[in-house]
Amino acid sequence: MADKVGFVGLGNMGGPMARNLVKAGIPVVVHDLDPRKVQSLAEAGAEVAASPQAVARETTRSIYMV
């Protein structure tokens, strides 16, 4: 199983990038201030973190699109 990848910021760039990782079968942990964006990725299969710090704790790599 691949290491988890964290994504903070699910806007115009981060959202599609995170979704592509999920589609590729890579475990992804996400966080964003907009709950709708988080929910959309959760429905696609991403794990949700309560904060950017939680994303960093739960993953081996983190990507921040802010």
Side-chain angles (χ1 to χ4, degrees):
M1 183 175 193
D3 293 335
K4 289 183 181 178
V5 175
F7 242 96
V8 176
L10 303 172
N12 291 335
M13 287 180 65
M17 291 170 71
R19 188 171 301 279
N20 283 337
L21 292 174
V22 171
K23 285 181 184 178
I26 298 169
V28 178
V29 180
V30 298
H31 176 77
D32 193 277
L33 295 176
D34 185 341
R36 293 172 298 170
K37 293 175 182 175
V38 173
Q39 181 178 350
S40 174
L41 264 296
E43 290 170 358
E47 183 180 329
V48 176
S51 67
Q53 294 88 346
V55 170
R57 277 192 305 270
E58 297 174 24
T59 61
T60 55
R61 293 170 185 83
S62 297
I63 301 167
Y64 294 82
M65 302 300 284
V66 296

